[in-house]
Amino acid sequence: MTQDKIFEALASSPRRQILAFLSERELTAGDIAARFEMSAPAVSRHLSVLVNAGLIDSERRGQFVVYRLVPDHLVNTLTQFAFEICPIGGPLKRESRRAKKAAG
């Protein structure tokens, strides 16, 4: 069931952190791996769970795959609010926002 996949995705702290970091901009798997010091296979597994839950989607752009939040998903809307006050998600969201502004 979809709800089970969503709860499975949100049960993992690294996946919640990835969602927070994706909250303001699109990222490649390499960008995510570098930010969280995860191996490429670990990032790939986390991204796969998030995609299967319908929380993020991906798009191939040349040799890269870019990941982004699914903007109209209710869970993402609720987590965006939670990230504002979360002691871990909040700083990641702000860091992502600053990086987006710096990239212009």
Side-chain angles (χ1 to χ4, degrees), residues 1 15-16 18 24 30 49 54 68 75 81 89-90 97 101 103:
M1 295 186 86
R15 286 192 285 272
R16 290 190 308 272
I18 290 169
E24 295 292 326
V49 170
R68 66 183 157 275
V75 172
F81 172 75
R97 189 179 297 135
K101 285 181 183 177

Side-chain angles (χ1 to χ4, degrees), residues 27-31 58-67:
L27 295 166
T28 65
D31 294 333
S58 63
E59 177 185 336
R60 180 164 289 283
R61 294 185 189 159
Q63 65 182 9
F64 298 102
V65 177
V66 178
Y67 295 89

Side-chain angles (χ1 to χ4, degrees), residues 7 24 31 36 44 48 68:
F7 283 114
E24 295 292 326
D31 294 333
F36 295 105
S44 180
S48 178
R68 66 183 157 275

Side-chain angles (χ1 to χ4, degrees), residues 26-85:
E26 302 174 337
L27 295 166
T28 65
D31 294 333
I32 295 167
R35 170 57 181 85
F36 295 105
E37 298 180 8
M38 288 185 215
S39 68
V43 168
S44 180
R45 284 190 299 272
H46 287 304
L47 292 172
S48 178
V49 170
L50 292 167
V51 167
N52 287 332
L55 299 174
I56 65 172
D57 61 10
S58 63
E59 177 185 336
R60 180 164 289 283
R61 294 185 189 159
Q63 65 182 9
F64 298 102
V65 177
V66 178
Y67 295 89
R68 66 183 157 275
L69 291 182
V70 174
D72 57 350
H73 197 290
L74 177 60
V75 172
N76 283 336
T77 302
L78 294 172
T79 55
Q80 292 307 308
F81 172 75
F83 288 148
E84 292 296 332
I85 58 173

